[in-house]
Amino acid sequence: MTARGPASHAGAWDTYWRGTRENAAHREGGPQEPVLAAFWASFFQTALATGNPPALLDLACGHGAVTGHALQVSPSLAPCCSDYSLSALQGLQQRYPRARCVVADAGHTPFADASFDLVVSQFGVEYAGPEAPYEAARLVATGGTLALLVHVEGGAIYRECADNRDTVMALRELNILGLAQAAFDAGFALNAGIGTPEAFKAAERAFTPAVRGLEQLLQTRGPQAAGGLLQQLYTDIAHMYRRMSAYAPEDVRNWLGGMDGELTAYIGRMQSMLDAGFSRAGMDAVAQGLSATGFSLRELSQLRVSEQAQAAAWVLVAQRR
Ligand SMILES: C[S@@+](CC[C@H](N)C(=O)[O-])C[C@H]1O[C@@H](n2cnc3c(N)ncnc32)[C@H](O)[C@@H]1O
C-alpha cells in the first residue's frame, strides 16, 4: 500500500460530488454494483431486524449509497452520515432529509467512543489511510457491529480506476486544451480583423494532431472510457469550434479552464482510489488489530461479480464484545 494523505484529494472528491447526481461512486458514474447492493440489503435485513432502531453511522458516505439500503429496510432510522466533502453531504441531505450530516475526516472523527451501534462504510474509510478502520472501530458500542466494504488492491475496481487514470493522463499529454485555446484565440483574432489567416492556419495545424490523438484514444478505449469524459470533451470542442463566431472568447476560455480543472480532479480521484486499496496482508492486519481490541471477527472475505471476476471488494464484519 502506498502512503496516503487524508486531505490530499479532498478537492477532487468535492468537485466530483458537486457535479454528479449519482448515488454510488465506486464506479465511474455507474449504478450500484448488484453484488454490493445485495450484500448491504442482506446485512441490514439482519442488523435491523429486531429491537429499537440502532444508532447508525455511514462513514465517508458520499451520496449515501449504503444509507439508502438501511433506510429501505428501516425507513424510521435517523442515520448519521459523515464525509469530508460538504457537496457530498448536501446531495445526501436532499435524498435523505432524516439523516444527520457531519463533515469530518474519516481518520479523525469528532464522535465519542462507542457512540454507534452500527458503523458502516463502503469504499470510504480506507481513503483516510491504513489506520482509519481503527478510528471506525473506536466508534462502535459494546455489542455493536462494524461493517466495511473496502477497495481491493489490484481488484476489479482498482484496475478500472488505473485504466481511467492512464487514459486521462494520455489525454493530458496531447495538450489538447492548450492547443485548442491557441486555435480559438487565432480564430477570434481573425474574426475581429486583428489576426491573419496564416496565423489561424498555423494554430489549426498545431491543434490537429491533438484532435487525432483524442480520436485514437476514443477508438482504442471506447466512448465510455474515463466515465465518458473524453467523449464529452471531443463533442464539446467540436461543437464550439464549428460555431466559433457564436461564442465570446471569454466563454471558450472559461470552458477550457473548467475542463482543465475537471481533468486534474479526475486524475486525483482515480489516484485516491488506487492509493486506498488494501492488500490481503493489510486486511489480515486490520482483522488481527480488531480482534486484539475487543472485536470478534464475523466475516473477512472478498465479493466478486462472478466466480471468474477479479474481487470487487473486501468484506469485513466485526462485532464488539
Ligand atoms: C468511492 S466514494 C464512496 C462513497 C460512498 N460510500 C459510496 O459507496 O458511494 C469515497 C468517498 O470517500 C470520501 N472521502 C475520501 N477521503 C475521505 C476522508 N479522508 N474522510 C472522509 N471522507 C473521505 C469521498 O468524499 C467520497 O465520498
Side-chain angles (χ1 to χ4, degrees):
M1 237 178 308
T2 49
R4 317 153 195 176
S8 57
H9 296 294
W13 275 106
D14 209 57
T15 301
Y16 173 76
W17 287 120
R18 230 180 299 129
T20 188
R21 298 178 64 78
E22 293 292 339
N23 187 27
H26 57 280
R27 280 198 186 273
E28 190 39 56
Q32 170 82 318
E33 194 73 66
V35 72
L36 307 178
F39 169 81
W40 289 115
S42 149
F43 173 80
F44 286 122
Q45 284 292 348
T46 308
L48 302 174
T50 53
N52 294 328
L56 168 73
L57 172 65
D58 182 359
L59 269 176
C61 56
H63 271 178
V66 178
T67 291
H69 289 293
L71 286 171
Q72 254 177 15
V73 175
S74 180
S76 63
L77 267 184
C80 182
C81 298
S82 181
D83 198 287
Y84 72 176
S85 160
L86 177 63
S87 301
L89 293 175
Q90 286 167 337
L92 185 145
Q93 192 80 77
Q94 278 186 350
R95 273 196 165 91
Y96 307 118
R98 293 180 60 81
R100 176 166 74 93
C101 293
V102 178
V103 176
D105 186 321
H108 305 277
T109 67
F111 308 113
D113 288 359
S115 45
F116 295 94
D117 305 304
L118 291 176
V119 176
V120 297
S121 183
Q122 170 173 277
F123 305 134
V125 291
E126 64 269 40
Y127 285 85
E131 300 301 314
Y134 303 112
E135 169 65 0
R138 178 183 72 76
L139 309 175
V140 179
T142 302
T145 300
L146 174 69
L148 307 177
L149 292 191
V150 174
H151 280 305
V152 179
E153 194 175 81
I157 295 173
Y158 185 96
R159 282 160 192 248
E160 187 182 322
C161 291
D163 281 352
N164 286 337
R165 179 204 54 186
D166 294 348
T167 299
V168 175
M169 285 169 75
L171 173 72
R172 262 275 154 82
E173 288 197 357
L174 297 171
N175 186 25
I176 191 165
L177 297 176
L179 292 165
Q181 184 67 67
F184 275 108
D185 285 346
F188 284 130
L190 186 62
N191 289 347
I194 51 172
T196 64
E198 292 71 32
F200 178 54
K201 276 192 192 130
E204 216 173 31
R205 265 199 306 279
F207 179 35
T208 303
V211 175
R212 297 288 166 263
L214 172 53
E215 285 170 348
Q216 204 165 3
L217 277 177
L218 280 167
Q219 234 168 38
T220 51
R221 312 204 183 188
Q224 288 317 313
L229 194 55
L230 272 64
Q231 183 65 55
Q232 185 202 333
L233 184 82
Y234 184 75
T235 309
D236 289 355
I237 286 187
H239 183 87
M240 287 191 296
Y241 204 70
R242 275 199 299 271
R243 296 172 183 72
M244 204 183 296
S245 56
Y247 290 90
E250 57 274 24
D251 291 342
V252 172
R253 187 168 290 280
N254 286 341
W255 185 86
L256 288 168
M259 200 34 111
D260 191 45
E262 246 188 76
L263 296 184
T264 303
Y266 188 91
I267 291 170
R269 195 159 53 81
M270 290 303 115
Q271 189 60 51
S272 78
M273 293 204 199
L274 295 172
D275 293 346
F278 264 75
S279 63
R280 157 75 60 188
M283 280 318 281
D284 284 345
V286 171
Q288 272 174 22
L290 291 177
S291 299
T293 51
F295 279 82
S296 302
L297 192 63
R298 296 278 177 251
E299 183 173 355
L300 177 56
S301 62
Q302 288 189 331
L303 276 185
R304 290 170 201 280
V305 176
S306 68
E307 267 189 28
Q308 296 76 30
Q310 299 280 337
W314 290 108
V315 180
L316 185 142
V317 181
Q319 190 169 28
R320 190 187 276 285
R321 294 188 288 272

